[in-house]
Amino acid sequence: MSVTQTVRVLLRCSLLLAIFIVVALVSSPSFSAVEDEKFTQMLQEEGVKARGPYYRIVPPVMRNGTLLVYKLKVGGKTYNVRGTATLKKRINELAALREIKRLDTISQAGEGVVTAVSRPISFLGDLVTEPKKTLSETTDGVGMLLNGTVNAITGNAGATAPSQGSKKTSAVESVAAAVVGRDKARRYIAVAANADPYTTFPPLSEQLDKAAWAYATSNRLTNLATVFIPGGVGTAVNGVLATTSFSEALKASPTVADETMRSELGEMGFKQRTIQSFLSSTSMTRGEKIVFVATLKSLHGMRGRGTLTAQASRLGLSQEAGYYYLVGLLMIADYHIDTERLASVELIEGVPVGTTRSGRKVSFVAGDRIGWTVDQSTTMLTIASKVNQANAGTGASELRLYGRVHPSLKAELGTFNWVIREKAPLASLNKIDTSR
């Protein structure tokens, strides 16, 4: 072979290799940039603002499985947030952070507040936690419709989001917090700000700790019930957490909260093994578990609630995975309460599929985008095929998605006589508050 021919062969090989690499990158289902939609348009479609008090969302928006991945800048730190639902939760937590900073600590806590913050540091060691690393840099593939299942398990079993990058609490700190009532104050202040007291989002969690130490060490815990966000003398908080039964559940001690959930799950007929797995799991904060149990109660009479609970309690799930399942459950509750009662729910290819009392089938996917990869489309079409084979003649089935369905997959599901509901709503906390 001549030198000229050799060069030509090498050039062709290089070109083919380059094309292969480009195709592989574009078609990769694990982590790809959203290049076909403008950044601002994407945010508008998802109903979020690019910036607000304490935060800014910076491009690009990425796509990881069925979830969008955002870069959320808070102060000098950037957090990778997977899922529009999680992003909205974080933005709400930053709104709570703003309210806590406005909390009139001096008038609420009394004259001891000035030394309250320094006192624990002087006598008990450094009680102000270091800024924690981002909680959202796990690679568990939450929300990925891959190989016929929703894969939300971490690569390292037992390694969950709360333990990554967080400073371990010393025995002295734990005792000190209990003695001065810091944890109790934290719960009351968080509820007053309409936030989850058990949040693990560093910006809010750290501010809650600071406010709680200041309040608790001022010996005014007897007046915690009067904690309010300023806006006029005696103005009560209006947030949904303070105006529903969730207020008392979130302000209760962890032991009381857990035993209450244990009792409620038992009344729903859950097996003790499922209950224990749920309560001991780290896939959700305790506050999210309280909401999860309340949502299960709102699905009164629906079979299969234990299956959904076991799915969200598996060993090794990250908190992002747990929240993904909570969002899915809220979608199910919204349908059950506002559209048609569900008789049962089952998992088909890892996806919840409900059966109404009239026999219709409804599938619920808590992802932001579905059908943007071959694997996702194949899985959804497999589900549609199985549902149709088992329920011929019961009418059109339905897919409810938190986000959007790719036009091609939408057309394919149309051939199966499926109805698509994009941007499906979630049940509000007011609706699932069964105590009222």
Side-chain angles (χ1 to χ4, degrees), residues 187 191 197-198 241 244-254 256-258 260-261 264 286-287 290-291 294:
R187 295 194 298 272
V191 170
Y198 301 97
L241 292 183
T244 63
S245 62
F246 292 103
S247 171
E248 295 309 311
L250 291 170
K251 288 189 294 187
S253 72
V256 170
D258 285 355
T260 300
M261 287 189 286
E264 291 173 338
R286 184 173 279 104
I290 290 171
V291 174

Side-chain angles (χ1 to χ4, degrees), residues 243-370:
T243 56
T244 63
S245 62
F246 292 103
S247 171
E248 295 309 311
L250 291 170
K251 288 189 294 187
S253 72
T255 301
V256 170
D258 285 355
E259 288 309 307
T260 300
M261 287 189 286
R262 185 187 300 278
S263 174
E264 291 173 338
L265 291 170
E267 290 173 0
M268 286 185 262
F270 282 45
K271 296 178 180 179
Q272 283 302 314
R273 183 174 61 182
T274 302
I275 295 174
Q276 187 56 39
S277 295
F278 175 76
L279 293 177
S280 61
S281 69
T282 54
S283 58
M284 285 181 261
T285 68
R286 184 173 279 104
E288 289 168 348
K289 289 179 183 178
I290 290 171
V291 174
F292 195 96
V293 172
T295 308
L296 291 173
K297 288 174 64 178
S298 72
L299 295 169
H300 179 71
M302 189 190 80
R303 300 185 303 276
R305 290 179 290 180
T307 300
L308 298 177
T309 305
Q311 182 187 47
S313 308
R314 292 177 316 206
L315 183 65
L317 292 183
S318 72
Q319 282 193 329
E320 287 179 316
Y323 194 67
Y324 177 88
Y325 290 126
L326 174 57
V327 170
L329 185 64
L330 289 170
M331 290 172 62
I332 294 172
D334 176 83
Y335 187 93
H336 182 81
I337 295 169
D338 283 347
T339 303
E340 185 177 358
R341 295 289 180 180
L342 293 167
S344 64
V345 67
E346 60 183 321
L347 297 179
I348 300 180
E349 306 293 332
V351 173
V353 177
T355 303
T356 69
R357 294 179 182 179
S358 63
R360 290 186 67 244
K361 293 288 187 178
V362 188
S363 176
F364 301 91
V365 177
D368 300 318
R369 297 289 185 273
I370 184 173

Side-chain angles (χ1 to χ4, degrees), residues 89-100 185-201 203-205 207-208 229 237-243 246-251 285-288 290-291 429:
K89 177 177 72 169
R90 295 306 185 209
I91 291 174
N92 287 337
E93 288 182 313
L94 291 171
L97 171 65
R98 185 184 185 188
E99 294 304 312
I100 291 169
R186 176 186 166 113
R187 295 194 298 272
Y188 273 73
I189 292 170
V191 170
N194 205 40
D196 179 0
Y198 301 97
T199 179
T200 54
F201 187 42
L204 176 58
S205 184
Q207 187 62 35
L208 276 172
I229 305 301
V237 197
N238 244 347
V240 67
L241 292 183
T243 56
F246 292 103
S247 171
E248 295 309 311
L250 291 170
K251 288 189 294 187
T285 68
R286 184 173 279 104
E288 289 168 348
I290 290 171
V291 174
L429 295 186

